[in-house]
Amino acid sequence: MTLPRIIPRAEHPISRGYIDPDALRVLYRLHRSGFKAFLVGGSVRDLMTGRTPKDFDIGTDAKPQEVRRLFRNSRVIGRRFRLVHVVFDDGKVVEVSTFRKRPTAESEAGGASAPAGDEDILIRSDNVFGTPEEDAERRDFTINGLFYDIASFAVIDYVGGVTDLERRVVRTIGDPDVRFREDPVRMMRACEFAARLNFEMDGDLRDALRENRMELRKSAAPRVTEELLDPLRRGWGSETYRIWHEAGLLEVLLPELDEEIHAHTGKAAFAPLFWRLLAESDRRVLAGEKFPDAALLGVVMLPLLFAAIRRRSGEGKRVDASRLLLVLEDVVNPLAARLTLPNHAVHLLKQGLYTMGRLAEVRPRDPAARKLVGKSYFPIAVSLLSLYAAASGRYAAPAEEWVEVVARTGHRLRKGEDEEYGAPFPEALVPSAHDVAGSDLLPPIPPVPVVDARGGRPRRRRRGPRRVGTEAVVPG
Ligand code: ATP
Ligand code: MG
């Protein structure tokens, strides 16, 4: 047992005024009932660095059933992690988990005979209760291993997290090689924390990333998908994807995308566009705009879609609708399968990308366009077009008009649609090749610089056959 470093109230910035009142209620009730009650994880990290936590998780030595009995409005959830959700009137949930220890190969194998020399230490279950110290040590990074104790208002540090917060370093708790092999998703998280906090990654951690990045293939696809979406949803996608790319993780996660944006392969035609798209969506997310997941996934797919179109159609050719649909299948399907996106999300994504192209060509007054408004993928297509317009400098006028339509018609995602990849699959819209033959459905491949050097308006290209080629691409 090691003694923790205790930082008394007078020496840290966490005030109860910053803690969610419902979370405080839960902390106090646990405490008054004789249990330990700590704020844990990200909320302590964020409060220590003057940020607003996303959620206030609580750790306690009360067992899930004991917590359950203390709060009428609570339920025990989870299998891998059994924890208690305390639900408040407005639907807010405070998560309470019992201190647990890091699972070992033995506890994994049911306590008896872990196969000797077994290299596979991937954690599959995680439900052995433990002490506060053990609970701190099972966590991923030192900056995430701090506790705030409601009994003393002190911060309790078993893992050196306070020093690492001061030094602005992301460091695993324990050997990064081991911690990354236990749970490879931690590699994605390490980069994400570096990106969002603007911290450095510790040197050993960086070596371990290189060494273990292939292990990511062992992680459950839905968890990886969540981690891929999370930074985009929260406004630090651009920096996170950049670090994933530099650390070699993106090559494992989304090899097609990584190849497409790799500056040294000569294939980087769409790299500048991709980074601008991310920067633009981050900017808007941080300003309060909320994009459906399908739109965020669409942003990730755009460079691939454009590259595939270029490969299929060759220089200077336009792509007709039926061909575009085939390309969409080719680009989206393999990725969707690997990420195990639900079917309705895949359809929404394809429809969004396809319709984006349509919105670039038709105007709201066009009778042909009217029926698009009201479709569940319509706002996705508008978001994509408007991000694309801002990132490329093209199609600013239709993008603006369609954004106005969304604002005017109050097209809101229905409840639930803005979460979990969007709405159920809408009625089939994809027109037959016959319906759309000859129409120019595709937003031109985006080779044009955003603004000219004098800062004037982007030059509009004339319609007609386009030249596409890397020489026209904005220098990265
Ligand atoms: P935020 O919620 O703001 O993204 P967070 O640090 O709270 O950041 P969560 O994913 O909510 O992140 O996880 C809560 C806490 O659980 C973390 O702070 C960390 O202590 C622990 N944790 C999360 N994921 C892991 C993991 N893969 N391995 C070990 N501990 C983890
Ligand atoms: Mg959290």
Side-chain angles (χ1 to χ4, degrees):
M1 215 183 80
T2 33
L3 287 180
R5 178 175 165 199
I6 308 279
I7 298 101
R9 171 64 194 97
E11 291 166 32
H12 68 69
I14 302 183
S15 138
R16 274 164 291 163
Y18 300 137
I19 300 173
D20 177 87
D22 291 324
L24 267 182
R25 273 181 211 115
V26 176
L27 285 166
Y28 278 129
R29 186 172 301 176
L30 285 164
H31 174 55
R32 280 197 307 267
S33 311
F35 296 110
K36 288 192 167 65
F38 298 167
L39 218 50
V40 299
S43 60
V44 185
R45 174 197 70 227
D46 288 345
L47 291 172
M48 288 288 279
T49 53
R51 292 177 170 80
T52 307
K54 190 179 82 176
D55 33 44
F56 292 85
D57 297 339
I58 291 170
T60 181
D61 55 354
K63 298 286 172 343
Q65 284 309 333
E66 293 173 315
V67 179
R68 168 76 198 82
R69 278 195 291 274
L70 280 180
F71 300 94
R72 210 169 36 82
N73 53 336
S74 69
R75 51 175 188 250
V76 179
I77 62 140
R79 253 186 311 164
R80 182 166 171 267
F81 275 120
R82 264 198 313 136
L83 38 81
V84 180
H85 275 177
V86 183
V87 188
F88 290 87
D89 287 343
D90 55 358
K92 185 201 296 164
V93 170
V94 174
E95 206 166 274
V96 184
S97 41
T98 307
F99 300 135
R100 66 191 80 227
K101 58 175 131 200
R102 207 172 126 193
T104 59
E106 278 154 54
S107 68
E108 283 293 291
S113 50
D118 187 359
E119 295 286 332
D120 185 2
I121 53 173
L122 200 69
I123 293 176
R124 295 199 178 79
S125 82
D126 194 359
N127 237 349
V128 185
F129 299 127
T131 62
E133 180 181 0
E134 287 165 329
D135 190 80
E137 274 161 5
R138 67 150 177 116
R139 291 170 184 276
D140 46 8
F141 305 108
T142 60
I143 55 172
N144 292 344
L146 298 171
F147 298 139
Y148 169 85
D149 183 0
I150 200 68
S152 60
F153 312 130
V155 167
I156 304 178
D157 181 6
Y158 285 99
V159 293
V162 172
T163 310
D164 283 338
L165 279 179
E166 283 161 2
R167 293 193 190 146
R168 305 173 66 85
V169 181
V170 182
R171 186 194 316 276
T172 51
I173 295 172
D175 182 346
D177 269 316
V178 175
R179 301 310 309 277
F180 288 163
R181 274 189 289 139
E182 280 176 355
D183 179 3
V185 168
R186 289 175 186 148
M187 292 188 273
M188 298 177 74
R189 288 172 57 85
C191 299
E192 196 201 328
F193 284 117
R196 71 199 259 192
L197 302 169
N198 193 17
F199 277 23
E200 288 294 316
M201 292 190 284
D202 157 69
D204 289 345
L205 183 153
R206 262 186 289 179
D207 293 345
L209 283 180
R210 280 263 153 224
E211 196 66 27
N212 296 290
R213 64 202 175 107
M214 293 304 167
E215 299 284 304
L216 266 170
R217 294 192 182 138
K218 290 185 185 168
S219 295
R223 281 188 71 209
V224 170
T225 303
E226 273 302 300
E227 295 292 333
L228 284 171
L229 277 165
D230 195 54
L232 301 170
R233 290 176 186 143
R234 298 174 73 182
W236 44 80
S238 145
E239 207 40 38
T240 306
Y241 275 70
R242 197 181 294 280
I243 298 180
W244 284 340
H245 174 57
E246 286 163 6
L249 299 194
L250 202 59
E251 192 186 339
V252 185
L253 295 165
L254 298 171
E256 310 87 338
L257 178 68
D258 190 73
E259 192 184 345
E260 212 50 67
I261 63 177
H262 214 290
H264 306 296
T265 59
K267 275 190 160 186
F270 301 106
L273 176 79
F274 178 64
W275 298 119
R276 283 213 203 99
L277 280 166
L278 290 189
E280 180 63 17
S281 76
D282 285 347
R283 192 183 65 73
R284 295 196 198 174
V285 168
L286 293 176
E289 196 169 333
K290 195 161 183 238
F291 294 105
D293 286 342
L296 298 171
L297 289 168
V299 165
V300 171
M301 303 274 170
L302 269 180
L304 300 177
L305 181 59
F306 289 142
I309 288 166
R310 177 186 288 172
R311 275 197 299 278
R312 288 265 190 136
S313 62
E315 293 251 332
K317 297 249 178 61
R318 307 189 82 94
V319 177
D320 68 32
S322 55
R323 190 101 67 91
L324 175 56
L325 293 173
L326 289 178
V327 174
L328 267 171
E329 299 291 315
D330 279 1
V331 169
V332 175
N333 290 351
L335 258 164
R338 262 200 349 266
L339 301 178
T340 62
L341 300 181
N343 280 343
H344 64 79
V346 180
H347 289 295
L348 211 52
L349 177 60
K350 288 180 191 164
Q351 298 287 354
L353 286 164
Y354 182 83
T355 307
M356 167 198 167
R358 238 165 112 54
L359 296 183
E361 298 291 321
V362 296
R363 291 304 174 82
R365 270 184 300 279
D366 233 318
R370 296 239 175 86
K371 62 172 187 260
L372 292 174
V373 182
K375 301 288 187 192
S376 60
Y377 47 80
F378 172 69
I380 293 163
V382 174
S383 293
L384 282 170
L385 181 63
S386 118
L387 288 168
Y388 173 74
S392 70
R394 318 195 69 173
Y395 291 98
E400 209 172 295
E401 285 176 23
W402 285 116
V403 167
E404 262 168 43
V405 172
V406 173
R408 216 174 39 235
T409 56
H411 197 302
R412 295 269 178 282
L413 289 174
R414 287 184 290 271
K415 189 160 167 48
E417 277 187 353
D418 56 344
E419 281 144 29
E420 302 296 323
Y421 317 107
F425 181 43
E427 70 206 72
L429 168 94
V430 182
S432 70
H434 171 76
D435 288 340
V436 291
S439 68
D440 183 17
L441 289 166
L442 183 73
I445 295 173
V448 175
V450 181
V451 193
D452 69 33
R454 294 173 303 281
R457 284 187 66 79
R459 275 163 296 166
R460 304 288 308 265
R461 283 211 171 181
R462 292 227 236 119
R463 291 178 60 104
R466 288 162 291 116
R467 280 192 53 219
V468 288
T470 41
E471 77 277 12
V473 171
V474 193

